[in-house]
């Protein structure tokens, strides 16, 4: 990123959002044959590995606010990819994949793998490891900043 100002906090947000949009567009293109978008696939993959999770826990796991998650789940319900049922506690709903949702995950997984492989090919081993380390560091830093903000 030419011309970036490394000491400008606002630049960190702009840079990560720009990168996230670019990656989303790339993954969307790789998943398009399966008729699914990257955000939908990420949600379905999470549900595939956490059968019967509640909406609040799912939102926390994905780092999404409840409103955005509700909107995304409605779209997936309309496509018959997810369903909800009463949870252990009658006040909560449990979300899981339908048979169609599981089929969509299986169909899209090769495109998702290809996207990851192509991304990986564009980096050295050191850059790849550094990317993961940086993402984890960003996550920790934001969590700590949020904790400090909430204590005020």
């Amino acid at each position: 990123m030419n011309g970036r100002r490394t000491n400008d906090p606002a630049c960190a947000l702009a840079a990560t959002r720009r990168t996230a949009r670019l990656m989303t567009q790339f993954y969307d293109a790789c998943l398009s044959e399966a008729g699914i978008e990257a955000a939908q696939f990420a949600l379905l993959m999470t549900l595939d590995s956490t059968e019967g999770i509640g909406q609040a826990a799912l939102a926390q796991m994905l780092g999404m606010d409840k409103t955005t998650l509700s909107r995304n789940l409605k779209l997936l319900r309309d496509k018959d990819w997810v369903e909800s049922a009463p949870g252990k506690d009658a006040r909560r709903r449990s979300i899981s994949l339908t048979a169609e949702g599981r089929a969509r995950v299986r169909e899209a997984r090769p495109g998702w793998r290809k996207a990851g492989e192509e991304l990986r090919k564009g980096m050295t081993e050191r850059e790849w490891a550094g990317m993961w380390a940086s993402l984890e560091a960003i996550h920790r830093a934001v969590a700590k900043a949020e904790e400090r903000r909430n204590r005020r």
Side-chain angles (χ1 to χ4, degrees):
M1 290 183 288
N2 293 336
R4 72 176 177 203
R5 293 176 21 205
T6 58
N7 62 349
D8 183 355
C11 186
L13 177 59
T16 54
R17 289 180 60 87
R18 183 175 50 249
T19 301
R21 282 191 298 273
L22 184 63
M23 286 184 69
T24 299
Q25 291 166 4
F26 178 68
Y27 272 78
D28 280 348
C30 291
L31 292 167
S32 66
E33 282 186 28
I36 190 169
E37 295 174 356
Q40 295 169 333
F41 183 74
L43 185 48
L44 293 180
M45 284 286 290
T46 302
L47 288 170
D48 193 38
S49 65
T50 57
E51 188 64 31
I53 191 170
Q55 191 165 330
L58 182 60
Q60 184 176 13
M61 184 178 280
L62 293 168
M64 296 175 85
D65 64 80
K66 292 176 188 175
T67 303
T68 301
L69 179 59
S70 292
R71 190 172 46 248
N72 288 334
L73 286 172
K74 182 184 181 326
L75 293 171
L76 298 179
R77 275 190 204 99
D78 291 348
K79 292 176 183 249
D80 194 34
W81 293 350
V82 300
E83 61 189 357
S84 58
K88 295 175 186 172
D89 178 342
R91 297 170 293 174
R92 293 195 171 90
R93 306 285 295 168
S94 173
I95 304 161
S96 57
L97 294 178
T98 62
E100 177 61 28
R102 288 189 199 292
R104 188 61 52 159
V105 168
R106 278 192 308 275
E107 185 180 339
R109 199 171 265 133
W112 171 73
R113 280 192 194 110
K114 180 172 176 40
E117 289 166 4
E118 290 299 317
L119 180 62
R120 172 66 188 88
K121 286 178 189 176
M123 295 184 204
T124 66
E125 188 64 37
R126 185 175 181 180
E127 288 169 334
W128 183 252
M131 177 196 70
W132 287 105
S134 293
L135 290 171
E136 289 172 16
I138 291 166
H139 184 86
R140 281 191 310 273
V142 171
K144 286 179 184 177
E146 187 67 17
E147 283 177 24
R148 287 190 304 272
R149 189 181 72 78
N150 288 334
R151 279 185 261 155
R152 292 183 196 151

